[in-house]
Amino acid sequence: MVVIQMITEAALLEQFNGSLQLRKLSLAAPGRQEILVRMVSASVCHTDIAAIEGEFGRLIPLPMVLGHEGAGVVEAVGDGVKKFKKGDRVVLSVVVHCDNCRNCAAGRPSACENFNEIAFGGGLNDGSKRLSLDGRQVSHFFAHSSFSRYAVVPENVVVHVPDEVQLEKLSVLSCGVQTGSGAVMNSGIPLGSKLAIFGCGGVGLSAVMGAKVIGAREIIAIDVADERLSLARELGATEVINPKKLDAVERVKSISGGGVDYAIECVGRTETIVQAVDCLRPWGTVILVGVPRRGTKIEFDFFSLFRATVRGCVAGFANSELFLPLLISLNQEGKFPFEKLSPGSYRFEEINRVASNASLDFS
Ligand SMILES: [Zn+2]
Ligand SMILES: [Zn+2]
């Protein structure tokens, strides 16, 4: 099929705090090293909700089609695409990257120096847009815009999916699951380490599953909701703490015999970030995954950081071309049951009712 221009039904954000409007948009053919994907499923991430609520403000140019988690089938490829062909089954990755900066050259795509521009700037990797409405250009989000029946995306965010794997359940891998599990699995954490994981939403629970995969000796999950803590136990947490009932730092130190080797902070609140640092043993590492509001300042006691390492983590330090197939294989082996995180699937038309982590079905 030679695609020049097509029409796609997409969920358009025209103003912050507004609802998403299903509209028929024009979608240009994939350009060089771009791929046209027919979406089979997309998932809603907290970052999409934050974008709707205006959290990114002028950083993202409206109108825009959101969505940065998706799985589907390749319909057409642009010039220069070598790894994909029509009919391939794929999942998209949130690890957008330029392939040109020093970090990309060093094999660290999640640290791409052009990440913000690609993710939030509204264009694809070359800055241009493929979506339009009545001649007016429409922005992409994370170079995906998966809240659309069809999307044109850069080849370097597309990952092959084996034939036997259901595409319907895979879109959650794109961002949340990859981020949480990658923060643990891609951090070089030694076998037998003790971990505390703050926050048991989709990202934190993915960190719990990742901790089990890498053979952590203690996996202490912390959350204010008991039902999320019981799911954390089911997924591998060895201890759980509800900080509404107990002092989290004291309890972590008591369970771990003086502090944990790694604290994974997946909430993004100043209190929990400080607590994550405070529950480390000397020489411990805190990995910051949760994202506070822009401009947030955090105050630490110097001595809590004196013998600590602090690492910020975007997109699970992942090289998705390697990491997503690993997660899919672990899932097939029953060692990484990420489908337990999804609160269910909704029809695309119901997008305005959908909460974080839920999936959209385009059938
Ligand atoms: Zn996300
Ligand atoms: Zn780069």
Side-chain angles (χ1 to χ4, degrees):
M1 177 175 65
V2 176
V3 181
I4 297 168
Q5 174 119 354
M6 64 179 297
I7 301 296
T8 183
E9 186 180 34
L12 189 67
L13 178 67
E14 298 229 49
Q15 58 186 44
F16 297 122
N17 291 307
S19 58
L20 303 178
Q21 305 292 326
L22 289 194
R23 304 292 294 270
K24 304 272 192 218
L25 302 186
S26 295
L27 180 62
R32 186 164 181 77
Q33 294 193 305
E34 293 172 359
I35 294 179
L36 172 66
V37 176
R38 174 174 59 81
M39 224 52 76
V40 171
S41 71
S43 300
V44 178
C45 172
H46 174 73
T47 307
D48 296 304
I49 310 262
I52 293 170
E53 291 173 350
E55 174 78 11
F56 303 112
R58 278 177 296 178
L59 198 62
I60 59 170
L62 300 185
M64 175 178 271
V65 175
L66 296 170
H68 59 287
E69 301 193 335
V73 178
V74 173
E75 286 292 330
V77 300
D79 288 344
V81 171
K82 294 199 172 65
K83 293 181 183 169
F84 298 89
K85 62 182 188 316
K86 180 174 162 52
D88 284 351
R89 305 163 81 254
V90 296
V91 60
L92 308 182
S93 168
V94 74
V95 186
V96 292
H97 59 287
C98 73
D99 279 329
N100 289 317
C101 72
R102 280 184 64 185
N103 279 333
C104 282
R108 297 189 289 262
S110 71
C112 173
E113 292 161 36
N114 294 302
F115 176 87
N116 280 347
E117 182 54 34
I118 299 172
F120 303 114
L124 297 184
N125 281 18
D126 66 359
S128 64
K129 301 177 186 182
R130 304 284 170 268
L131 288 163
S132 60
L133 175 64
D134 301 331
R136 188 172 52 135
Q137 288 201 318
V138 171
S139 296
H140 302 258
F141 191 48
F142 278 85
H144 286 197
S145 293
S146 57
F147 295 166
S148 174
R149 293 192 183 275
Y150 291 86
V152 169
V153 298
E155 179 184 18
N156 70 2
V157 299
V158 182
V159 176
H160 281 286
V161 172
D163 284 344
E164 66 277 15
V165 178
Q166 265 190 318
L167 289 172
E168 286 75 5
K169 69 176 187 181
L170 281 194
S171 50
V172 290
L173 285 185
S174 302
C175 177
V177 171
Q178 176 166 235
T179 296
S181 59
V184 174
M185 294 168 69
N186 295 323
S187 291
I189 297 176
L191 186 72
S193 295
K194 300 180 180 185
L195 272 68
I197 294 165
F198 286 77
C200 293
V203 173
L205 290 171
S206 300
V208 169
M209 288 190 287
K212 187 172 180 194
V213 167
I214 63 161
R217 182 148 58 108
E218 280 176 7
I219 305 169
I220 306 168
I222 300 141
D223 198 285
V224 293
D226 285 333
E227 67 273 16
R228 290 201 291 263
L229 291 175
S230 58
L231 184 52
R233 269 206 192 276
E234 190 184 328
L235 295 173
T238 54
E239 296 278 352
V240 298
I241 301 169
N242 185 332
K244 280 186 170 170
K245 301 173 185 170
L246 292 168
D247 182 300
V249 174
E250 264 180 32
R251 184 75 188 125
V252 169
K253 287 199 159 177
S254 153
I255 293 167
S256 58
V260 287
D261 303 299
Y262 291 84
I264 318 296
E265 206 289 330
C266 302
V267 182
R269 293 168 57 104
T270 50
E271 308 91 283
T272 45
I273 292 170
V274 171
Q275 286 168 5
V277 170
D278 286 345
C279 73
L280 295 175
R281 65 194 283 256
W283 207 256
T285 297
V286 64
I287 299 175
L288 302 177
V289 182
V291 182
R293 285 186 176 275
R294 291 194 159 265
T296 298
K297 305 273 190 298
I298 303 179
E299 207 170 89
F300 293 97
D301 182 324
F302 171 80
F303 288 98
S304 69
L305 288 173
F306 202 23
R307 290 184 289 174
T309 299
V310 178
R311 293 191 73 189
C313 174
V314 171
F317 304 120
N319 182 335
S320 306
E321 195 175 345
L322 300 172
F323 191 54
L324 291 183
L326 172 64
L327 295 183
I328 291 170
S329 297
L330 289 167
N331 180 259
Q332 288 173 298
E333 293 161 18
K335 296 172 184 164
F336 193 81
F338 60 79
E339 61 278 357
K340 291 191 176 174
L341 305 181
S342 174
S345 178
Y346 295 76
R347 287 184 301 114
F348 181 40
E349 293 77 9
E350 299 177 288
I351 188 163
N352 286 302
R353 293 180 45 212
V354 174
S356 231
N357 291 337
S359 294
L360 298 165
D361 175 359
F362 287 90
S363 59

